[in-house]
Amino acid sequence: MLFTSALGNLCSVLTALMDAPVPPPLPPSPPVLPTAAAPASSFPRQAATFSVVAPFFAIGIGIFLQPQARDNPWSMMILGLTSLLLIELGFVFGIVALVRTKRHGRQGILGKAIVGTCICGILTLLMLVSIPGLMKAAERAKEAAKRGKAMQRQRMEQRQQ
């Protein structure tokens, strides 16, 4: 008896549910948006890549182009300044890329920026450390040139006598 009354109640509930109006279907959920990743051509990515590549171009200039320009002091100065500019710009762009990683994400930027900044920083430090030695070498070269000119004058005077 208890079973039949429970079954009767269940049937009446089910019929009430079947006779109730069906609610409209829910609209489909919007698609999941991907996380905002920096595009492949974003400035921080390009800056990080430049900071890695720039010191190698500067070293390549020193290895391949300076021996050909050794006879012309102006071209040597231009090539040296170009190398220096590449290294310093690589250092600056590496720092800019590091600063921008928070905004554009770390992927593809952080590693290159750290490596480029370290390489350019080490090369800059080596350049700054070598300046006193280069100054002493320039002084010695000037003295040697003066001695050479003095010796030439003596030889000329001896030939004239």
Side-chain angles (χ1 to χ4, degrees):
M1 184 89 166
L2 184 62
F3 178 70
T4 54
S5 70
L7 188 58
N9 287 341
L10 182 62
C11 286
S12 65
V13 168
L14 285 175
T15 20
L17 282 175
M18 288 175 29
D19 291 339
V22 178
L26 295 174
S29 62
V32 177
L33 296 176
T35 58
S41 64
S42 69
F43 178 74
R45 274 185 208 274
Q46 292 175 353
T49 303
F50 180 80
S51 72
V52 172
V53 174
F56 294 109
F57 275 117
I59 292 169
I61 286 172
I63 291 172
F64 296 112
L65 295 179
Q66 283 186 354
Q68 296 172 354
R70 193 163 292 218
D71 297 334
N72 188 348
W74 283 102
S75 62
M76 286 291 289
M77 187 171 19
I78 290 170
L79 290 177
L81 290 175
T82 302
S83 296
L84 177 68
L85 182 68
L86 281 172
I87 291 170
E88 296 309 313
L89 283 176
F91 185 73
V92 169
F93 281 137
I95 291 173
V96 168
L98 284 173
V99 169
R100 296 281 179 106
T101 55
K102 189 172 185 179
R103 183 181 216 187
H104 291 275
R106 290 182 174 185
Q107 187 176 6
I109 299 173
L110 184 67
K112 288 180 187 177
I114 289 174
V115 168
T117 304
C118 289
I119 291 172
C120 291
I122 289 170
L123 290 175
T124 301
L125 184 65
L126 288 174
M127 282 188 270
L128 290 175
V129 167
S130 67
I131 287 175
L134 292 173
M135 298 298 276
K136 288 179 185 177
E139 288 175 16
R140 281 187 256 141
K142 285 180 184 177
E143 290 174 8
K146 285 180 184 177
R147 278 186 261 136
K149 286 181 182 180
M151 291 177 73
Q152 280 181 340
R153 279 190 223 130
Q154 286 178 352
R155 288 181 192 154
M156 293 289 278
E157 290 172 1
Q158 288 175 356
R159 288 181 190 163
Q160 289 175 356
Q161 292 177 358

